[in-house]
């Protein structure tokens, strides 16, 4: 009896439609500006303890300008993404001064920075970004690729 009931429940669950993933659209951030130019990474501890990670940290200020004009009047969720890094994993953490949420992410991830109605053609904020990476694996020159994408609420 219990086995039959469990099988019936499993069959009902299998018949339910799978949740549909929201469509993500790239957000134009080409008007954004990094104020500090090249980020200078510094060793967190010049002589790390045996077995401890040899991390480096750098800071920069970014004026983020997101062109959300195509979605004016809609409601959506905007995510910040950091492309995967091959040589050294990177962690980014930031504070904000305006409409975007503070947060953190690792390379290859995305995180929510805005949720709500799009009432203006541009969302602008100033972010204080702290980057941290494994200094033993970090190349002398590397480029981080942050992007933004939006998922819209159904109309």
């Amino acid at each position: 009896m219990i086995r039959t009931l469990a099988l019936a429940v499993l069959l009902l669950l299998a018949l339910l439609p799978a949740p549909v993933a929201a469509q993500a659209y790239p957000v134009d951030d080409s008007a954004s500006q990094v104020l500090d130019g090249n980020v200078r990474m510094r060793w967190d501890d010049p002589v790390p303890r045996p077995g401890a990670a040899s991390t480096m940290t750098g800071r920069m200020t970014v004026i983020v300008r997101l062109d959300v004009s195509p979605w004016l009047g809609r409601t959506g969720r905007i995510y910040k993404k950091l492309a995967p890094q091959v040589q050294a994993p990177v962690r980014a953490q930031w504070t904000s001064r305006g409409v975007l949420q503070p947060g953190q992410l690792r390379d290859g991830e995305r995180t929510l920075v805005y949720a709500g109605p799009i009432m203006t053609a541009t969302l602008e904020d100033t972010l204080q970004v702290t980057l941290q990476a494994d200094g033993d694996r970090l190349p002398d020159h590397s480029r981080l690729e942050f992007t933004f994408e939006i998922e819209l609420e159904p109309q």
Side-chain angles (χ1 to χ4, degrees), residues 24-32 64-71 77-79 118 121-123 146-152:
Y25 302 95
V27 176
D28 179 6
D29 69 333
S30 60
S32 295
V64 176
R65 295 181 184 100
L66 303 177
D67 178 4
V68 291
S69 60
W71 307 286
R77 293 177 307 281
I78 298 175
Y79 296 89
I118 309 296
T122 304
L123 291 179
F146 288 97
T147 57
F148 293 87
E149 62 185 20
I150 187 170
E151 292 179 357
L152 300 170

Side-chain angles (χ1 to χ4, degrees), residues 117-129:
I118 309 296
M119 305 304 287
T120 60
T122 304
L123 291 179
E124 185 172 327
D125 201 342
T126 301
L127 304 182
Q128 299 293 325
V129 182

Side-chain angles (χ1 to χ4, degrees), residues 11-106:
L11 285 172
L12 283 174
L13 289 175
L15 294 175
L16 292 175
V20 177
Q23 174 76 31
Y25 302 95
V27 176
D28 179 6
D29 69 333
S30 60
S32 295
Q33 181 181 7
V34 178
L35 297 182
D36 310 272
N38 295 328
V39 177
R40 297 188 71 101
M41 301 292 285
R42 301 191 191 281
W43 292 101
D44 291 341
D45 188 353
V47 183
R49 296 181 316 267
S54 300
T55 56
M56 298 181 84
T57 300
R59 291 176 178 74
M60 65 181 168
T61 302
V62 181
I63 299 174
V64 176
R65 295 181 184 100
L66 303 177
D67 178 4
V68 291
S69 60
W71 307 286
L72 204 53
R74 301 280 307 268
T75 298
R77 293 177 307 281
I78 298 175
Y79 296 89
K80 182 176 184 172
K81 294 174 58 175
L82 176 55
Q85 301 300 301
V86 177
Q87 290 93 355
V90 174
R91 190 181 120 216
Q93 184 174 336
W94 61 92
T95 59
S96 64
R97 296 183 184 164
V99 297
L100 300 181
Q101 297 176 12
Q104 65 180 3
L105 56 80
R106 295 187 186 281

